[in-house]
């Protein structure tokens, strides 16, 4: 007996998409049709011909969003975001959030301005690079506990690093 071929997504197929924020979405795949992923509206074209179970990353640049196939597993993609904390030194064993103030003003805790973040996006920086730059620009990131660092990174990833899986 031969192994069955992997099922591919075809024109007119209905696909349940798993978005990076945990949301599930039913999408009919049509050539040229736009779909909503977070704040972005990439076309469904990259889904056509891809196997079910494929992972995609939303890339922005030049004012448009597009889906790009990512060969990594969803676990590897998630791990790449949490590795940012390790690359920035991680949390110390005695870290505590007691000294952190609940400052709502972005200018006090974040050294990157909104314009600088938008410039990174327009320059085609990947979502992972954006999350790394934002975490590196945070004045309070290093003093947070490991749990708080991971929570912070996941929050920033939901906004700047969207993934789509077509299971």
């Amino acid at each position: 007996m031969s192994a069955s071929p992997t099922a591919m997504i075809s024109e007119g197929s209905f696909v349940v998409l798993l978005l990076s924020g945990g949301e599930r979405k039913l999408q009919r795949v049509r050539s040229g049709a736009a779909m909503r992923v977070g704040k972005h509206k990439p076309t469904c074209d990259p889904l056509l011909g891809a196997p079910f179970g494929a992972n995609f990353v939303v890339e922005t640049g030049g004012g448009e969003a597009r889906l790009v196939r990512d060969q990594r597993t969803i676990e590897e993609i998630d791990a790449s975001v949490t590795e940012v904390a390790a690359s920035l030194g991680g949390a110390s064993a005695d870290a505590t959030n007691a000294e952190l103030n609940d400052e709502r003003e972005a200018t006090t805790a974040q050294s990157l301005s909104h314009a600088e973040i938008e410039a990174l996006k327009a320059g085609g920086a990947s979502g992972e690079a954006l999350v790394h730059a934002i975490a590196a620009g945070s004045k309070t990131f290093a003093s947070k506990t490991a749990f708080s660092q991971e929570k912070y990174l996941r929050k920033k990833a939901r906004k700047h690093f969207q993934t789509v899986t077509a299971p």
Side-chain angles (χ1 to χ4, degrees):
M1 238 185 172
S2 64
S4 64
T6 304
M8 301 297 215
I9 300 171
S10 60
E11 180 84 26
S13 296
F14 283 93
V15 179
V16 176
L17 301 174
L18 300 176
L19 306 180
S20 55
E23 182 183 350
R24 295 175 192 268
K25 181 178 187 172
L26 181 65
Q27 177 73 41
R28 184 168 190 182
V29 180
R30 292 187 217 156
S31 181
M35 56 189 259
R36 178 158 298 279
V37 179
K39 294 181 179 181
H40 308 291
K41 290 183 86 175
T43 66
C44 294
D45 294 346
L47 295 172
L48 293 170
F52 283 94
N55 295 311
F56 298 86
V57 175
V58 178
E59 287 188 355
T60 58
E64 67 177 43
R66 61 199 163 284
L67 288 178
V68 177
R69 177 90 186 271
D70 195 329
Q71 298 297 328
R72 298 177 292 177
T73 65
I74 198 68
E75 291 81 15
E76 292 170 334
I77 293 170
D78 286 343
S80 71
V81 172
T82 55
E83 287 170 1
V84 169
S87 71
L88 293 174
S92 66
D94 60 344
T96 174
N97 293 341
E99 298 299 319
L100 298 177
N101 294 324
D102 186 18
E103 299 175 7
R104 298 285 178 198
E105 301 153 19
T107 57
T108 59
Q110 180 57 253
S111 62
L112 288 177
S113 69
H114 179 72
E116 290 171 324
I117 293 170
E118 289 301 317
L120 286 170
K121 286 181 185 179
S126 70
E128 291 165 305
L130 278 170
V131 172
H132 186 277
I134 291 169
S138 173
K139 296 173 185 169
T140 58
F141 185 79
S143 61
K144 294 181 181 207
T145 63
F147 174 78
S148 293
Q149 286 181 352
E150 185 175 336
K151 183 178 168 185
Y152 178 86
L153 292 172
R154 292 206 181 279
K155 179 180 175 185
K156 297 305 174 188
R158 270 195 306 273
K159 183 173 182 179
H160 300 288
F161 183 53
Q162 277 104 21
T163 59
V164 177
T165 302

